[in-house]
Amino acid sequence: MTTSSPTVTEQMAALLERLTPHEGYNITGLADVRFLRSNRPLLRTPVLYEPGIVIVVQGRKRGYFGQDVYLYDAQHYLMVSVPVPFTMETDASESEPMMAIYIRLDFTLAADMMLELAKFGQTTATPPRSMMSSPMDETMRHSVLRFLQVMAEPRDAEILGPAMLREIYYRVLMGAQGAVLRSTLTLQGQFGKVAKALRKLHAEYDSHLDVSALAKEASMSLPSFYSHFRTVTDTSPIQYLKSMRLHQARLLMLRNNLTASAASRQVGYESVSQFSREFKRLFGLTPLSEVERMRKHFSMPAPVTASAFISSH
C-alpha cells in the first residue's frame, strides 16, 4: 500500500509546528520575521498592524477594515502597506492551531526590488490601498516552503535567510496584488501625503496632537487632510491617535511591567481614569485584566529591532 506524499501546505504546517514553541509571537533569526501561533479562536479584537506581510499556513484570520473583509488563510496572504487600526478574528483550536509568518515590511528592500522590476517595465498607475489580500498561488507557496525549510536550521537561516526573504518580496510584488502594492509603496499623490503624516504621528504619538501641523506635513488644507486621512485609515486623526496610544500602553504594561498609571502617562494621557475608560472601551477588559489575559495565553516578545511605527504586537 502506498502512502501519498505530504502536500506543500502540510509540509509548511509541519515546519511551523516546530518553529512555534510558544503560543503568540516567536522570535526568529531574522530581525523582521516572527512566527505566530494561536491555539484558540479569537473573537473580533482591535489590532494595529505596522506595515508588513502576514502569511497564514494553517487556520484562518479575517480582518475587518471599513466595509471590507480581508481573508488570510492557507489560500490567501495579507499585505498591510500603512499602519491602520482594524478588527480581526481568528479560527484556531488546540488540535489545529492557527500558524502564520509575520514579516515586517522593509521599505528599503521593497524599494530596491521595485527599481529592479522597473528595468523590466513593471510600473503601474493602479490606485494604492492600505490593505490587500492576495491569493497564495503555487509559485508563492513553494517559495514560502523553501523559506521555512531554511529558517528551520539556524545556520541556514543566518546565511540563506536574507536571500529567501528577498524571494518572498519578489513573489509578493509580482503576485495578484503586486500592481496595487507597487503603486502604494511609491507613496505618490494624496495617499503618499497621508502616509508621510502617519509616520510623523507615530514618531510623536506621546505629545499633543496638532492636526494642523499634520496637515502641513502632508501639504494639505485642513479639510482636505481630514477627508484623505479617513479614506486611508477609516478613522479620524483623533481616534487614530487614541487607538495608537492604547495599543502602545498595553505593550508597555505587558513587556515592561508598567502599571496602568505609569503606562498612561508615558503614552500621553493626563487622566488615568480617562485612560482606563477608553482602554476598556477598546479592548473589552480593564488594563489589569487584559494584561493578565495576554500573559496567560499569548507570548508578545519585543521585536529584535525597534520600529518606526507603534503596533499591537
Side-chain angles (χ1 to χ4, degrees), residues 141-313:
R141 208 182 304 274
H142 281 278
S143 291
V144 173
L145 174 59
R146 288 195 299 275
F147 176 70
L148 288 174
Q149 288 169 337
V150 163
M151 295 302 293
E153 300 296 334
R155 183 176 59 187
D156 292 354
E158 183 174 342
I159 296 173
L160 301 177
M164 290 305 306
L165 193 56
R166 183 178 173 84
E167 180 177 334
I168 298 291
Y169 272 69
Y170 175 77
R171 298 300 177 202
V172 171
L173 288 167
M174 293 301 294
Q177 297 287 359
V180 179
L181 179 57
R182 293 194 301 272
S183 179
T184 300
L185 292 176
T186 59
L187 297 180
Q188 299 297 312
Q190 307 304 325
F191 185 95
K193 292 177 179 179
V194 172
K196 184 180 178 183
L198 284 173
R199 190 172 283 271
K200 179 179 177 65
L201 189 55
H202 277 253
E204 302 175 6
Y205 74 94
D206 54 350
S207 59
H208 173 69
L209 174 64
D210 186 340
V211 182
S212 296
L214 286 178
K216 185 176 181 181
E217 181 80 9
S219 302
M220 292 184 190
S221 67
L222 203 54
S224 178
F225 178 72
Y226 271 110
S227 174
H228 289 292
F229 190 95
R230 183 170 288 278
T231 297
V232 173
T233 67
D234 193 49
T235 191
S236 70
I238 295 292
Q239 291 301 316
Y240 186 99
L241 177 64
K242 184 185 297 184
S243 174
M244 188 167 51
R245 284 175 168 174
L246 293 170
H247 279 292
Q248 177 68 352
R250 184 176 70 160
L251 287 180
L252 288 172
M253 288 184 285
L254 186 64
R255 291 173 177 159
N256 299 358
N257 293 314
L258 294 190
T259 63
S261 177
S264 67
R265 287 196 304 272
Q266 192 159 324
V267 299
Y269 273 86
E270 296 179 358
S271 165
V272 179
S273 59
Q274 180 187 359
F275 165 78
S276 297
R277 284 194 307 271
E278 293 181 351
F279 188 100
K280 188 173 182 180
R281 192 176 302 132
L282 181 65
F283 294 112
L285 293 170
T286 65
L288 181 60
S289 297
E290 171 64 3
V291 171
E292 286 179 348
R293 181 190 72 84
M294 294 292 290
R295 285 206 175 107
K296 183 177 180 181
H297 297 304
F298 213 75
S299 175
M300 296 279 277
V304 174
T305 57
S307 172
F309 300 102
I310 303 301
S311 71
S312 56
H313 53 271

Side-chain angles (χ1 to χ4, degrees), residues 49-56 63 65 70-73 76-84 86 101-107 110 114 128-135 140 168-185 191:
Y49 281 6
E50 59 186 313
I53 306 161
V54 185
I55 302 170
V56 175
F65 180 62
Y70 295 86
L71 177 67
Y72 41 130
D73 57 9
H76 306 83
Y77 57 91
L78 184 76
M79 179 71 216
V80 179
S81 56
V82 292
V84 288
F86 63 103
I101 305 163
Y102 174 76
I103 303 171
R104 185 167 64 186
L105 186 61
D106 182 335
F107 286 91
M114 287 167 62
R129 294 173 60 187
S130 304
M131 293 172 59
M132 58 212 81
S133 177
S134 297
M140 177 70 166
I168 298 291
Y169 272 69
Y170 175 77
R171 298 300 177 202
V172 171
L173 288 167
M174 293 301 294
Q177 297 287 359
V180 179
L181 179 57
R182 293 194 301 272
S183 179
T184 300
L185 292 176
F191 185 95

Side-chain angles (χ1 to χ4, degrees), residues 9 12-14 16 55-59 73-74 99-101 136 144 148:
T9 299
M12 290 192 292
L16 262 189
I55 302 170
V56 175
V57 168
Q58 180 174 281
D73 57 9
M99 295 184 293
I101 305 163
M136 186 86 154
V144 173
L148 288 174

